[in-house]
Amino acid sequence: MSEKLIEVKNLKKYFNTPKGLLHAVDDVSFDINKGETLGVVGESGCGKSTTGRAILRLLEATGGEVLFQGENILKYDKSRLRDLRREMQIIFQDPFASLNPRMTVSEIIGEPLAIHKMVNSKEGQSKIVKELMDTVGLSERLVNTYPHELDGGRRQRIGIARALSLNPKFIVCDEPVSALDVSIQAQVLNLMQDLQKDLGLTYMFITHDLSVVKHISNHIAVMYLGTLVEKASSKELFKNPIHPYTQALLSAIPVPSIKHKKERVILKGEITSPINPAPGCRFAKRCPYAKDDCFKVSPELKEVVKDHFVACHYYKEINNM
Ligand code: SF4
């Protein structure tokens, strides 16, 4: 049986704004098995990045639990949190913005080793940096270059090498290929998959693009306005999407064959405000199947087929189940 590395239980993150309380993440629960990838998908502003940052404690959660290897890390004090930082890392979307332009490749990759006192000499650090560069496919001759001298793919490889430098178990990958050209996206995704196999890494892979996570994810969680609306294995979700929002997302993926082409679902209607949201389904204003009670009662995430969870009052009718 698969071993759980991460268990997120009823995670909440609210922000105070001049207009009221913004519910960025509301009661989100999921597990990630050791050595596997959970793809977290949704439009910009759905709370997927906030969820990732709250798990890593880069943002403090408003409520809920995050268990890492069985321990609730939201209760960790500063010193335990410092040790935890080695185990849990992040790769950002825009490698150019996340890398210090005044530091060389070697300094960027070596910085976490120095901060966490993982090496006791310059020579030791330089040796590990070169090994990491080799692991992510960066030529050693680039060791003294600066981020602006490199293309997007190489910059993202620096971000990956830096994330790997402390030998983590878990990495939040926050849209790591969205800023890259399609051909370079494939190279970086392949590299990440190879590293996962070789190093036994566990990923939470955040993206707005379902097609990107299809092959890299074991499971996929779909988020809409701070809530989880559907969760299943990647294979099952692509074969049998049940929630109307997931169906709309999937219909937007280009299919090469005309035979298998599905009609694209264009979502209309205004987006519900995440500030002091009223009870009810947050997707109701855009859902073509919404009925009166969808605006009054929030649907719970329920297992509707084995290991396939959906939050919708009318999933049976919509899918002729
Ligand atoms: Fe649509 Fe209602 Fe289901 Fe929400 S609960 S997805 S509004 S049918």
Side-chain angles (χ1 to χ4, degrees):
M1 202 175 136
S2 313
E3 189 185 330
K4 289 173 189 169
L5 185 75
I6 301 281
E7 296 164 72
V8 175
K9 298 181 189 224
N10 309 104
L11 187 69
K12 294 186 183 75
K13 177 63 192 173
Y14 301 162
F15 294 97
N16 276 313
T17 73
K19 289 185 178 166
L21 209 53
L22 188 150
H23 291 224
V25 179
D26 225 348
D27 229 358
V28 164
S29 302
F30 55 76
D31 303 330
I32 312 180
N33 292 330
K34 211 171 172 182
E36 292 191 356
T37 299
L38 174 77
V40 180
V41 184
E43 291 163 310
S44 141
C46 72
K48 53 194 190 308
S49 293
T50 306
T51 304
R53 283 166 167 72
I55 291 172
L56 296 180
R57 289 199 56 186
L58 297 175
L59 287 171
E60 288 305 328
T62 308
E65 291 183 353
V66 175
L67 308 191
F68 176 68
Q69 302 183 130
E71 282 193 33
N72 184 7
I73 57 171
L74 299 191
K75 297 226 177 319
Y76 276 18
D77 60 14
K78 269 194 181 156
S79 99
R80 293 188 80 188
L81 197 56
R82 198 182 141 84
D83 292 340
L84 184 75
R85 293 261 176 264
R86 290 188 209 159
E87 313 259 28
M88 304 169 96
Q89 289 289 311
I90 185 164
I91 300 170
F92 294 98
Q93 171 179 5
D94 183 351
F96 198 48
S98 63
L99 304 176
N100 186 335
R102 281 184 286 275
M103 288 167 81
T104 63
V105 170
S106 152
E107 287 164 344
I108 293 169
I109 299 174
E111 191 184 36
L113 295 166
I115 291 173
H116 287 269
K117 301 189 174 61
M118 302 281 280
V119 280
N120 41 25
S121 69
K122 281 251 176 259
E123 294 71 36
Q125 179 167 323
S126 159
K127 185 170 171 274
I128 296 176
V129 166
K130 283 179 185 159
E131 282 168 9
L132 285 162
M133 288 178 71
D134 185 48
T135 305
V136 300
L138 278 174
S139 162
E140 201 184 307
R141 70 184 161 78
L142 301 174
V143 75
N144 291 320
T145 52
Y146 290 88
H148 73 269
E149 297 177 272
L150 304 171
D151 60 30
R154 287 198 177 87
R155 285 201 288 260
Q156 195 52 293
R157 284 171 197 265
I158 300 173
I160 296 171
R162 185 182 158 94
L164 292 177
S165 63
L166 299 175
N167 224 350
K169 293 193 171 96
F170 174 61
I171 303 183
V172 171
C173 314
D174 191 358
E175 303 259 14
V177 297
S178 307
L180 305 176
D181 291 345
V182 176
S183 60
I184 297 172
Q185 278 190 5
Q187 288 173 21
V188 173
L189 286 173
N190 287 340
L191 169 68
M192 291 179 68
Q193 276 183 302
D194 290 346
L195 292 171
Q196 181 170 47
K197 240 184 276 157
D198 295 347
L199 307 174
L201 297 167
T202 303
Y203 294 143
M204 173 177 169
F205 197 105
I206 296 167
T207 178
H208 64 280
D209 183 352
L210 252 177
S211 58
V212 165
V213 280
K214 183 175 182 180
H215 299 294
I216 199 168
S217 306
N218 302 82
H219 293 88
I220 294 181
V222 181
M223 285 187 75
Y224 187 81
L225 268 188
T227 61
L228 255 190
V229 297
E230 187 157 8
K231 192 173 67 169
S233 72
S234 176
K235 210 170 154 196
E236 163 72 7
L237 193 100
F238 274 83
K239 202 172 88 190
N240 183 27
I242 294 177
H243 195 281
Y245 177 60
T246 313
Q247 292 172 352
L249 282 183
L250 274 172
S251 78
I253 297 178
V255 179
S257 139
I258 291 178
K259 194 171 143 210
H260 294 105
K261 201 158 181 63
K262 288 203 199 102
E263 205 173 312
R264 178 157 185 193
V265 182
I266 308 280
L267 293 173
K268 295 185 188 127
E270 62 178 295
I271 298 175
T272 302
S273 169
I275 296 175
N276 300 329
C281 175
R282 298 215 181 145
F283 187 56
K285 285 188 182 168
R286 295 170 88 191
C287 179
Y289 309 101
K291 298 187 187 194
D292 283 353
D293 52 346
C294 297
F295 291 89
K296 295 178 198 139
V297 184
S298 307
E300 273 178 40
L301 192 74
K302 282 193 270 186
E303 190 171 22
V304 300
V305 182
K306 194 173 176 336
D307 293 329
H308 191 153
F309 298 79
V310 178
C312 172
H313 297 308
Y314 295 105
Y315 71 89
K316 281 191 183 162
E317 277 178 58
I318 295 167
N319 295 283
N320 298 320
M321 288 167 80

